[in-house]
Amino acid sequence: MIVARFDSIKDWEHFVDLKREIIQLKEQRVSLRSMVEDITKQLKIEIEKRESIEQELAKLGRLNIIGQLAAGLGHEIRNPLTTIRGFLQMLKCKAELVTYTNYFELMIEELDRANAIITDYLSLAKNKPTDFKRLHLNKLLENLSPLITADAYSQGKKCIFEPGDIQDLEIDPHEITQMVLNLARNGLEAMPIDGCLTIKTFMNEQDIVLSVNDEGQGIPPEHLSKLGTPFFTTKENGTGLGLAMCYNVANRHNAQIDIDTSQNGTTFFVRFPNQGSHPL
Ligand SMILES: Nc1ncnc2c1ncn2[C@@H]1O[C@H](COP(=O)(O)OP(=O)(O)OP(=O)(O)O)[C@@H](O)[C@H]1O
Ligand SMILES: [Mg+2]
């Protein structure tokens, strides 16, 4: 043990002051260390955030280039397709080729399908003009219902339409048709046999809502943020453009898409701003 000796009271007081300062310094060191640890943690989080934003930006840049390329290619491929379709149409009408009529019809149908796919790609182009008409969403669904019901039936599934009491809207009928078909097709594809797809319309003060509900297994949380990114697909034969198109169409109509998903199924809500009272 070291015993300190002091020659005077002053020395003793000086010693006590020094001791106190040392204790304070020790306390400061502890709090400084925890401050440094906190700041390091925050910095790490910021760096991780920054890295993920940079990765996302790089991905968006690549997708943008792919999208532009696809749109350019699609546009160019359409012209030769139109020529081929014209010749097939002409040959189909020749009396000496009448035995091949079925083949010609099949080829023309396939060309039309290819053309429809290209139309979907091109509709992703942002500056495409929109052809707005004031019409009733229920009327549009009424026209589409036989098509969707037949699609559901061919897969051993059901489809129910529940049109609500809604007002008419300024919409581009072609674009909204594509959107409903894509949402319905996704819903049907997500469900097992016997599943039921429900398409509804309803209205509240702010919105006129179209909802498409399926009885599938839901969308995993890690996929939710990727929905609508062009070419994101989990399907073997999917192109991953369906939802990208839907988000684009919704955007052009100032509408918002919300998703409610669980293991019991998924509902896509398309909320159009209520544009006031214009009943049909
Ligand atoms: N109703 C749904 N239930 C479960 N998953 C869904 C649903 N709708 C979309 N998804 C998921 O989102 C992905 C992207 O959908 P999207 O419609 O954009 O492309 P796709 O259906 O894969 O291909 P396609 O371009 O032919 O429509 C799907 O592959 C699927 O994983
Ligand atoms: Mg799809």
Side-chain angles (χ1 to χ4, degrees):
M1 191 170 79
I2 301 169
V3 181
R5 279 169 194 264
F6 301 100
D7 296 335
S8 64
I9 296 266
K10 244 185 173 180
D11 284 351
W12 160 248
E13 282 171 354
H14 185 59
F15 173 77
V16 171
D17 282 347
L18 276 176
K19 261 288 198 205
R20 199 174 290 138
E21 270 178 35
I22 289 171
I23 292 169
Q24 276 174 359
L25 277 173
K26 273 187 183 161
E27 281 170 3
Q28 278 174 4
R29 198 174 66 182
V30 172
S31 85
L32 268 176
R33 184 175 288 160
S34 94
M35 250 166 78
V36 169
E37 278 170 3
D38 281 352
I39 291 173
T40 312
K41 254 188 227 159
Q42 278 174 8
L43 265 176
K44 259 191 186 162
I45 294 172
E46 286 302 319
I47 289 171
E48 275 167 14
K49 262 194 212 161
R50 208 197 167 112
E51 279 174 359
S52 98
I53 290 173
E54 278 171 2
Q55 278 171 7
E56 206 57 33
L57 280 175
K59 196 177 88 190
L60 281 178
R62 283 197 299 275
L63 284 171
N64 204 7
I65 292 170
I66 299 171
Q68 283 172 9
L69 261 175
L73 272 176
H75 198 263
E76 290 311 307
I77 289 171
R78 253 185 175 174
N79 294 339
L81 286 188
T82 312
T83 314
I84 298 171
R85 194 185 191 283
F87 278 114
L88 287 175
Q89 193 81 43
M90 189 187 80
L91 292 171
K92 189 183 114 180
C93 300
K94 293 239 179 248
E96 62 269 35
L97 294 175
V98 74
T99 45
Y100 299 110
T101 303
N102 283 350
Y103 291 152
F104 284 122
E105 274 171 3
L106 195 71
M107 285 192 274
I108 290 170
E109 259 173 40
E110 288 297 293
L111 278 180
D112 286 346
R113 207 159 66 86
N115 228 327
I117 293 172
I118 293 171
T119 306
D120 273 0
Y121 271 81
L122 291 180
S123 72
L124 283 169
K126 286 193 192 82
N127 49 3
K128 182 184 160 285
T130 305
D131 185 16
F132 285 115
K133 288 189 177 76
R134 183 163 281 278
L135 57 88
H136 210 278
L137 203 51
N138 289 347
K139 282 252 156 65
L140 188 140
L141 291 179
E142 216 175 280
N143 294 338
L144 280 179
S145 74
L147 193 72
I148 299 173
T149 310
D151 210 5
Y153 187 74
S154 72
Q155 299 175 34
K157 298 163 193 173
K158 274 184 292 191
C159 180
I160 297 175
F161 285 86
E162 290 182 11
D165 193 7
I166 56 168
Q167 278 156 1
D168 56 329
L169 275 168
E170 289 272 346
I171 48 178
D172 179 325
H174 176 70
E175 289 196 349
I176 298 299
T177 298
Q178 292 305 317
M179 178 162 85
V180 174
L181 287 178
N182 270 306
L183 292 178
R185 210 186 303 146
N186 278 348
L188 288 174
E189 283 167 356
M191 292 194 299
I193 286 182
D194 281 339
C196 182
L197 188 78
T198 309
I199 302 181
K200 285 188 197 176
T201 54
F202 54 94
M203 192 168 88
N204 56 37
E205 262 183 32
Q206 290 91 39
D207 317 300
I208 292 177
V209 187
L210 162 81
S211 72
V212 181
N213 165 263
D214 65 62
E215 295 175 346
Q217 290 189 335
I219 304 172
E222 65 272 23
H223 289 170
L224 274 176
S225 63
K226 297 181 186 147
L227 296 188
T229 305
F231 308 110
F232 169 71
T233 182
T234 55
K235 299 172 192 167
E236 210 173 311
N237 295 316
T239 52
L241 283 173
L243 281 182
M245 203 212 81
C246 293
Y247 278 95
N248 229 297
V249 170
N251 201 19
R252 277 203 281 263
H253 286 76
N254 284 328
Q256 192 185 320
I257 297 185
D258 294 325
I259 304 168
D260 188 4
T261 187
S262 75
Q263 284 173 340
N264 302 322
T266 302
T267 310
F268 278 81
F269 297 95
V270 186
R271 300 182 195 281
F272 297 89
N274 194 343
Q275 297 155 344
S277 53
H278 294 277
L280 269 191

mmCIF file of all heavy atoms in Angstrom, residues 215-240:
data_model
loop_
_atom_site.group_PDB
_atom_site.id
_atom_site.type_symbol
_atom_site.label_atom_id
_atom_site.label_comp_id
_atom_site.label_asym_id
_atom_site.label_seq_id
_atom_site.Cartn_x
_atom_site.Cartn_y
_atom_site.Cartn_z
ATOM 1 N N GLU A 215 -57.435 -15.597 -54.333
ATOM 2 C CA GLU A 215 -57.273 -16.491 -53.180
ATOM 3 C C GLU A 215 -55.958 -17.246 -53.289
ATOM 4 O O GLU A 215 -55.874 -18.426 -52.971
ATOM 5 C CB GLU A 215 -58.457 -17.467 -53.118
ATOM 6 C CG GLU A 215 -59.784 -16.771 -52.864
ATOM 7 C CD GLU A 215 -60.986 -17.713 -52.909
ATOM 8 O OE1 GLU A 215 -60.853 -18.859 -53.388
ATOM 9 O OE2 GLU A 215 -62.065 -17.276 -52.485
ATOM 10 N N GLY A 216 -54.937 -16.548 -53.761
ATOM 11 C CA GLY A 216 -53.613 -17.161 -53.901
ATOM 12 C C GLY A 216 -52.857 -17.156 -52.576
ATOM 13 O O GLY A 216 -53.429 -16.850 -51.522
ATOM 14 N N GLN A 217 -51.558 -17.457 -52.642
ATOM 15 C CA GLN A 217 -50.764 -17.575 -51.405
ATOM 16 C C GLN A 217 -50.162 -16.254 -50.947
ATOM 17 O O GLN A 217 -49.398 -16.216 -49.990
ATOM 18 C CB GLN A 217 -49.645 -18.588 -51.629
ATOM 19 C CG GLN A 217 -50.205 -19.996 -51.740
ATOM 20 C CD GLN A 217 -49.118 -21.034 -51.754
ATOM 21 O OE1 GLN A 217 -47.984 -20.736 -52.137
ATOM 22 N NE2 GLN A 217 -49.448 -22.247 -51.349
ATOM 23 N N GLY A 218 -50.447 -15.171 -51.657
ATOM 24 C CA GLY A 218 -49.933 -13.865 -51.258
ATOM 25 C C GLY A 218 -48.564 -13.576 -51.848
ATOM 26 O O GLY A 218 -47.955 -14.428 -52.496
ATOM 27 N N ILE A 219 -48.107 -12.359 -51.615
ATOM 28 C CA ILE A 219 -46.814 -11.920 -52.171
ATOM 29 C C ILE A 219 -45.819 -11.795 -51.019
ATOM 30 O O ILE A 219 -46.092 -11.097 -50.041
ATOM 31 C CB ILE A 219 -46.970 -10.561 -52.889
ATOM 32 C CG1 ILE A 219 -48.058 -10.688 -53.969
ATOM 33 C CG2 ILE A 219 -45.653 -10.090 -53.500
ATOM 34 C CD1 ILE A 219 -48.448 -9.377 -54.609
ATOM 35 N N PRO A 220 -44.658 -12.492 -51.087
ATOM 36 C CA PRO A 220 -43.692 -12.400 -49.981
ATOM 37 C C PRO A 220 -43.198 -10.964 -49.817
ATOM 38 O O PRO A 220 -43.051 -10.236 -50.812
ATOM 39 C CB PRO A 220 -42.543 -13.310 -50.428
ATOM 40 C CG PRO A 220 -42.957 -13.964 -51.691
ATOM 41 C CD PRO A 220 -44.202 -13.325 -52.184
ATOM 42 N N PRO A 221 -42.946 -10.547 -48.540
ATOM 43 C CA PRO A 221 -42.542 -9.154 -48.281
ATOM 44 C C PRO A 221 -41.335 -8.735 -49.122
ATOM 45 O O PRO A 221 -41.258 -7.590 -49.576
ATOM 46 C CB PRO A 221 -42.199 -9.125 -46.801
ATOM 47 C CG PRO A 221 -42.681 -10.407 -46.237
ATOM 48 C CD PRO A 221 -43.027 -11.346 -47.325
ATOM 49 N N GLU A 222 -40.378 -9.666 -49.340
ATOM 50 C CA GLU A 222 -39.160 -9.274 -50.077
ATOM 51 C C GLU A 222 -39.456 -8.984 -51.553
ATOM 52 O O GLU A 222 -38.640 -8.388 -52.250
ATOM 53 C CB GLU A 222 -38.042 -10.317 -49.919
ATOM 54 C CG GLU A 222 -38.318 -11.678 -50.528
ATOM 55 C CD GLU A 222 -39.035 -12.632 -49.570
ATOM 56 O OE1 GLU A 222 -39.702 -12.152 -48.622
ATOM 57 O OE2 GLU A 222 -38.960 -13.849 -49.797
ATOM 58 N N HIS A 223 -40.646 -9.393 -52.047
ATOM 59 C CA HIS A 223 -40.990 -9.118 -53.444
ATOM 60 C C HIS A 223 -41.785 -7.824 -53.595
ATOM 61 O O HIS A 223 -41.827 -7.246 -54.675
ATOM 62 C CB HIS A 223 -41.823 -10.263 -54.042
ATOM 63 C CG HIS A 223 -41.025 -11.503 -54.264
ATOM 64 N ND1 HIS A 223 -41.587 -12.700 -54.597
ATOM 65 C CD2 HIS A 223 -39.683 -11.715 -54.198
ATOM 66 C CE1 HIS A 223 -40.649 -13.608 -54.723
ATOM 67 N NE2 HIS A 223 -39.476 -13.039 -54.466
ATOM 68 N N LEU A 224 -42.412 -7.401 -52.464
ATOM 69 C CA LEU A 224 -43.344 -6.271 -52.572
ATOM 70 C C LEU A 224 -42.702 -5.017 -53.150
ATOM 71 O O LEU A 224 -43.285 -4.355 -54.007
ATOM 72 C CB LEU A 224 -43.938 -5.951 -51.197
ATOM 73 C CG LEU A 224 -45.178 -6.756 -50.811
ATOM 74 C CD1 LEU A 224 -45.612 -6.423 -49.403
ATOM 75 C CD2 LEU A 224 -46.326 -6.517 -51.789
ATOM 76 N N SER A 225 -41.466 -4.715 -52.694
ATOM 77 C CA SER A 225 -40.838 -3.477 -53.160
ATOM 78 C C SER A 225 -40.416 -3.571 -54.626
ATOM 79 O O SER A 225 -40.127 -2.570 -55.259
ATOM 80 C CB SER A 225 -39.627 -3.140 -52.291
ATOM 81 O OG SER A 225 -38.686 -4.177 -52.432
ATOM 82 N N LYS A 226 -40.360 -4.798 -55.165
ATOM 83 C CA LYS A 226 -39.908 -4.950 -56.552
ATOM 84 C C LYS A 226 -41.067 -4.924 -57.540
ATOM 85 O O LYS A 226 -40.846 -4.846 -58.746
ATOM 86 C CB LYS A 226 -39.167 -6.285 -56.714
ATOM 87 C CG LYS A 226 -37.919 -6.355 -55.876
ATOM 88 C CD LYS A 226 -37.225 -7.667 -56.094
ATOM 89 C CE LYS A 226 -36.049 -7.805 -55.151
ATOM 90 N NZ LYS A 226 -35.806 -9.155 -54.741
ATOM 91 N N LEU A 227 -42.308 -5.012 -57.030
ATOM 92 C CA LEU A 227 -43.454 -5.061 -57.942
ATOM 93 C C LEU A 227 -43.502 -3.794 -58.786
ATOM 94 O O LEU A 227 -43.328 -2.691 -58.278
ATOM 95 C CB LEU A 227 -44.767 -5.188 -57.161
ATOM 96 C CG LEU A 227 -44.951 -6.463 -56.353
ATOM 97 C CD1 LEU A 227 -46.362 -6.538 -55.809
ATOM 98 C CD2 LEU A 227 -44.644 -7.711 -57.164
ATOM 99 N N GLY A 228 -43.718 -3.973 -60.067
ATOM 100 C CA GLY A 228 -43.811 -2.810 -60.961
ATOM 101 C C GLY A 228 -42.465 -2.468 -61.582
ATOM 102 O O GLY A 228 -42.410 -1.652 -62.500
ATOM 103 N N THR A 229 -41.372 -3.082 -61.089
ATOM 104 C CA THR A 229 -40.076 -2.872 -61.740
ATOM 105 C C THR A 229 -40.102 -3.684 -63.047
ATOM 106 O O THR A 229 -40.371 -4.883 -63.003
ATOM 107 C CB THR A 229 -38.925 -3.407 -60.856
ATOM 108 O OG1 THR A 229 -39.031 -2.786 -59.590
ATOM 109 C CG2 THR A 229 -37.566 -3.109 -61.459
ATOM 110 N N PRO A 230 -39.855 -3.016 -64.191
ATOM 111 C CA PRO A 230 -39.922 -3.771 -65.446
ATOM 112 C C PRO A 230 -39.038 -5.017 -65.398
ATOM 113 O O PRO A 230 -37.919 -4.972 -64.883
ATOM 114 C CB PRO A 230 -39.408 -2.788 -66.494
ATOM 115 C CG PRO A 230 -39.639 -1.456 -65.886
ATOM 116 C CD PRO A 230 -39.506 -1.624 -64.412
ATOM 117 N N PHE A 231 -39.553 -6.108 -65.899
ATOM 118 C CA PHE A 231 -38.857 -7.392 -66.014
ATOM 119 C C PHE A 231 -38.713 -8.141 -64.684
ATOM 120 O O PHE A 231 -38.048 -9.160 -64.628
ATOM 121 C CB PHE A 231 -37.489 -7.261 -66.702
ATOM 122 C CG PHE A 231 -37.572 -6.541 -68.020
ATOM 123 C CD1 PHE A 231 -37.047 -5.269 -68.166
ATOM 124 C CD2 PHE A 231 -38.212 -7.118 -69.100
ATOM 125 C CE1 PHE A 231 -37.151 -4.586 -69.372
ATOM 126 C CE2 PHE A 231 -38.327 -6.451 -70.304
ATOM 127 C CZ PHE A 231 -37.792 -5.181 -70.442
ATOM 128 N N PHE A 232 -39.347 -7.652 -63.589
ATOM 129 C CA PHE A 232 -39.337 -8.457 -62.365
ATOM 130 C C PHE A 232 -40.437 -9.508 -62.470
ATOM 131 O O PHE A 232 -41.617 -9.188 -62.579
ATOM 132 C CB PHE A 232 -39.567 -7.612 -61.109
ATOM 133 C CG PHE A 232 -39.829 -8.479 -59.905
ATOM 134 C CD1 PHE A 232 -38.802 -9.228 -59.350
ATOM 135 C CD2 PHE A 232 -41.111 -8.620 -59.377
ATOM 136 C CE1 PHE A 232 -39.037 -10.083 -58.274
ATOM 137 C CE2 PHE A 232 -41.357 -9.471 -58.301
ATOM 138 C CZ PHE A 232 -40.306 -10.195 -57.752
ATOM 139 N N THR A 233 -40.052 -10.773 -62.467
ATOM 140 C CA THR A 233 -41.028 -11.857 -62.540
ATOM 141 C C THR A 233 -40.549 -13.044 -61.730
ATOM 142 O O THR A 233 -39.342 -13.249 -61.574
ATOM 143 C CB THR A 233 -41.278 -12.278 -64.012
ATOM 144 O OG1 THR A 233 -42.271 -13.311 -64.020
ATOM 145 C CG2 THR A 233 -40.027 -12.801 -64.702
ATOM 146 N N THR A 234 -41.503 -13.814 -61.191
ATOM 147 C CA THR A 234 -41.140 -15.057 -60.504
ATOM 148 C C THR A 234 -41.686 -16.237 -61.307
ATOM 149 O O THR A 234 -41.645 -17.370 -60.847
ATOM 150 C CB THR A 234 -41.759 -15.091 -59.086
ATOM 151 O OG1 THR A 234 -43.165 -14.886 -59.209
ATOM 152 C CG2 THR A 234 -41.162 -14.050 -58.182
ATOM 153 N N LYS A 235 -42.225 -15.927 -62.500
ATOM 154 C CA LYS A 235 -42.852 -16.984 -63.306
ATOM 155 C C LYS A 235 -41.912 -17.435 -64.412
ATOM 156 O O LYS A 235 -41.213 -16.608 -65.008
ATOM 157 C CB LYS A 235 -44.155 -16.465 -63.926
ATOM 158 C CG LYS A 235 -45.149 -16.058 -62.880
ATOM 159 C CD LYS A 235 -46.347 -15.381 -63.465
ATOM 160 C CE LYS A 235 -47.166 -14.735 -62.359
ATOM 161 N NZ LYS A 235 -48.182 -13.814 -62.869
ATOM 162 N N GLU A 236 -41.959 -18.738 -64.688
ATOM 163 C CA GLU A 236 -41.060 -19.296 -65.699
ATOM 164 C C GLU A 236 -41.232 -18.623 -67.057
ATOM 165 O O GLU A 236 -40.263 -18.305 -67.731
ATOM 166 C CB GLU A 236 -41.334 -20.789 -65.816
ATOM 167 C CG GLU A 236 -40.117 -21.578 -66.225
ATOM 168 C CD GLU A 236 -40.410 -23.065 -66.150
ATOM 169 O OE1 GLU A 236 -40.933 -23.509 -65.105
ATOM 170 O OE2 GLU A 236 -40.149 -23.736 -67.144
ATOM 171 N N ASN A 237 -42.506 -18.399 -67.419
ATOM 172 C CA ASN A 237 -42.747 -17.793 -68.725
ATOM 173 C C ASN A 237 -43.221 -16.346 -68.635
ATOM 174 O O ASN A 237 -43.789 -15.812 -69.584
ATOM 175 C CB ASN A 237 -43.787 -18.612 -69.502
ATOM 176 C CG ASN A 237 -43.255 -19.991 -69.803
ATOM 177 O OD1 ASN A 237 -42.099 -20.144 -70.208
ATOM 178 N ND2 ASN A 237 -44.065 -21.014 -69.553
ATOM 179 N N GLY A 238 -43.011 -15.711 -67.480
ATOM 180 C CA GLY A 238 -43.464 -14.323 -67.331
ATOM 181 C C GLY A 238 -42.481 -13.361 -67.976
ATOM 182 O O GLY A 238 -41.291 -13.652 -68.085
ATOM 183 N N THR A 239 -42.999 -12.202 -68.407
ATOM 184 C CA THR A 239 -42.074 -11.187 -68.925
ATOM 185 C C THR A 239 -41.801 -10.142 -67.837
ATOM 186 O O THR A 239 -40.847 -9.383 -67.933
ATOM 187 C CB THR A 239 -42.658 -10.456 -70.157
ATOM 188 O OG1 THR A 239 -43.946 -9.979 -69.820
ATOM 189 C CG2 THR A 239 -42.733 -11.350 -71.361
ATOM 190 N N GLY A 240 -42.662 -10.088 -66.824
ATOM 191 C CA GLY A 240 -42.460 -9.091 -65.763
ATOM 192 C C GLY A 240 -42.791 -7.692 -66.224
ATOM 193 O O GLY A 240 -42.239 -6.720 -65.702
#
